[in-house]
Amino acid sequence: MTHGPSDLPFSRLGARLHPPAIAALMNTALADPGMLSLAAGFTDTATLPAEAVAAAVAELAARGGPPEFLQYGANRGREGLRRLLAACTAVLDGLPAGAIDPERTLIGNGSQQLLHLAVAVLADPGDILLVERPTYFVFMEMLGGLGVEPVGLPAAADGSLDLDACAALIADLGASPRRARVKALYLMSYFGNPSGLSRTETEKTALAQMLARAGLVVPVLEDAAYRDLGFERPWPARSVLALEAFDAFPRLYLGTLTKPFATGLKIGYAHASDAAWFDRMCWLKGHEDFGTANFNQAILERIIETQQLERHIAMLRARYAAKMRALDAALERGGLREAGWSWSRPEGGLYLWLRAPDGVDTDGEGPFWRACMREHVLYVPGGLCLPAPVDRRFVRLSYGVLADDALAEAAARFCRAAKSMTAG
Ligand SMILES: Cc1ncc(COP(=O)(O)O)c(C=O)c1O
């Protein structure tokens, strides 16, 4: 078998593709058994719900009758699970029962697949998507593969949207020939990846009003992957499905059962307000796989019906709060703030977003990266999460997967590497 350059005549899509940064990070971790990874967004292995899943499988097996859950399922996903998920989101948004239509709910192989379907049916190469700064780096890589340009909404120093700068950017776009190229807005409003920040209803409403004023009533994707993982409380803002200011916008709300339950079951979902957008996503899914694993959906249907999802989430919220505090405290103990780094403590999610002192370049392969490699600790370079203009002063650290003692050790290594940059 040969590897390396190929002279196959790839499509424009095929030719644009690069190995995903996340795969390279994971390979780096796997190639060095001594490496501690604060990079990958994996979840806490120790609390994966093995018993609940085993009980659900046993219950399915004991039902009698044909094991329909081992047969192909519907392209859109299991009706029962769609109904349960639509009801759960309605409760979170304070909407009346039945306000979210299970017939406009699509179940995917993770919300990642649904993000891809949603963008692929909207945007052509050369088109523009508005995103936050920073944003989910796998989403940005996906945009790169599709040839779509991410344009970042300006952020204030505390991470909130800089509403004046956003208004200027949106008004300029609305008045420029690029206006027709703006195909959607991608928002991560709940304990975002990597910022850990959430958006208020005021911020979201102001954004909708600016877009409307600029004549950019474009589709909105609201990615709520971490909505369930608020430490002390759920984030109080309602989603774009429930906010009046978004009524005129086609909306897609994306949720997942991976982060709050089991990543290995890889089930995500989307609720769409727009029938034509939804239909096209379903048709494209029909081309890709004509349905997400029916068995995995049946397990999760059972888990939700028996209130085990709620119980698991309650446990996880406390668990991630403790892990965040452990990583944060270890970084403080290691003297990272004295070395000029800054960060704030998130109220939920899986990540710390750190700013390095000026002069430290966190890019992969730079001196700081190499210092971390020597210490056997891995991080996500913040530049991956930032649309242009490039800013290489940031780092994403995840406290999701490492056990408590490994988290403390990884933090100590990270601090040594950081201090080696400023020493002498
Ligand atoms: C912000 C965000 N959205 C979506 C996803 C995709 O998650 P999944 O495909 O597991 O549902 C992730 C995964 O890390 C994420 O961080």
Side-chain angles (χ1 to χ4, degrees):
M1 195 155 57
T2 56
H3 294 282
S6 160
D7 52 10
L8 277 179
F10 288 113
S11 66
R12 280 194 285 274
L13 168 69
R16 261 194 315 267
L17 295 178
H18 298 289
I22 190 68
L25 287 166
M26 282 158 73
N27 287 342
T28 308
L30 289 172
D32 176 353
M35 184 70 77
L36 290 178
S37 177
L38 292 166
F42 283 29
T43 51
D44 186 54
T45 313
T47 52
L48 285 173
E51 279 173 26
V53 170
V57 172
E59 199 278 334
L60 286 173
R63 265 182 196 173
E68 54 75 25
F69 48 84
L70 292 180
Q71 187 54 272
Y72 278 137
N75 186 37
R76 250 184 306 174
R78 287 174 79 84
E79 194 197 335
L81 183 58
R82 285 189 283 109
R83 251 190 294 106
L84 289 166
L85 292 169
C88 289
T89 307
V91 169
L92 285 178
D93 271 342
L95 291 168
I100 296 182
D101 187 356
E103 297 304 311
R104 293 254 188 89
T105 298
L106 175 60
I107 294 178
N109 188 38
S111 53
Q112 186 63 37
Q113 181 189 36
L114 300 166
L115 284 169
H116 184 255
L117 296 175
V119 178
V121 301
L122 287 177
D124 286 312
D127 283 343
I128 292 171
L129 245 82
L130 297 172
V131 302
E132 289 152 299
R133 269 183 77 80
T135 190
Y136 171 37
F137 77 91
V138 183
F139 184 77
M140 286 235 288
E141 288 196 308
M142 187 250 281
L143 294 185
L146 292 170
V148 174
E149 179 193 348
V151 169
L153 295 168
D158 65 359
S160 61
L161 292 173
D162 178 340
L163 290 175
D164 290 339
C166 285
L169 176 114
I170 289 168
D172 281 357
L173 269 177
S176 86
R178 276 154 57 86
R179 168 183 169 153
R181 286 294 195 184
V182 181
K183 290 300 170 70
L185 163 70
Y186 171 65
L187 278 182
M188 227 186 321
S189 338
Y190 300 95
F191 314 114
N193 172 6
S195 69
L197 290 172
S198 308
R199 300 283 169 218
T200 61
E201 290 193 3
T202 311
E203 278 179 292
K204 292 199 273 194
T205 298
L207 208 51
Q209 289 166 344
M210 285 170 201
L211 288 164
R213 270 198 302 275
L216 290 167
V217 182
V218 291
V220 176
L221 291 84
E222 185 168 48
D223 182 345
Y226 300 90
R227 189 173 190 180
D228 294 314
L229 298 183
F231 300 149
E232 303 292 333
R233 55 164 192 163
W235 183 252
R238 288 166 295 163
S239 81
V240 297
L241 295 177
L243 291 178
E244 214 175 292
F246 285 93
D247 279 355
F249 290 75
R251 283 148 291 151
L252 191 75
Y253 173 96
L254 298 113
T256 186
L257 297 169
T258 61
K259 306 290 181 184
F261 193 70
T263 39
L265 292 173
K266 198 63 178 146
I267 298 293
Y269 55 97
H271 309 297
S273 73
D274 186 275
W277 188 9
F278 179 75
D279 285 346
R280 275 162 184 76
M281 287 176 63
C282 291
W283 299 339
L284 185 56
K285 183 162 167 62
H287 297 180
E288 287 188 359
D289 60 17
F290 51 87
T292 298
N294 197 16
F295 183 47
N296 295 6
Q297 293 181 62
I299 293 171
L300 282 160
E301 193 175 283
R302 179 74 195 149
I303 295 288
I304 298 177
E305 270 167 3
T306 51
Q307 279 83 47
Q308 293 185 81
L309 179 64
E310 279 165 56
R311 287 203 290 277
H312 192 73
I313 288 174
M315 179 277 299
L316 271 189
R317 289 167 58 187
R319 174 91 183 134
Y320 287 130
K323 293 185 88 168
M324 186 281 290
R325 283 195 299 268
L327 179 59
D328 172 62
L331 294 172
E332 297 275 3
R333 267 199 316 278
L336 200 61
R337 286 205 197 266
E338 290 71 27
W341 290 66
S342 55
W343 67 96
S344 47
R345 289 175 199 99
E347 292 180 41
L350 288 187
Y351 309 101
L352 292 184
W353 179 241
L354 284 71
R355 188 183 149 156
D358 290 343
V360 174
D361 180 342
T362 64
D363 209 24
E365 309 306 330
F368 179 65
W369 176 264
R370 288 198 297 277
C372 284
M373 289 304 102
R374 284 194 296 277
E375 290 286 351
H376 302 283
V377 64
L378 207 60
Y379 64 88
V380 172
L384 291 176
C385 311
L386 288 162
V390 174
D391 187 342
R392 299 202 175 111
R393 287 172 302 178
F394 292 89
V395 157
R396 187 194 85 173
L397 300 183
S398 168
Y399 40 82
V401 69
L402 293 182
D404 293 358
D405 49 349
L407 266 184
E409 172 58 22
R413 294 179 187 184
F414 186 86
C415 292
R416 280 201 297 272
K419 288 193 283 192
S420 75
M421 292 291 99
T422 39

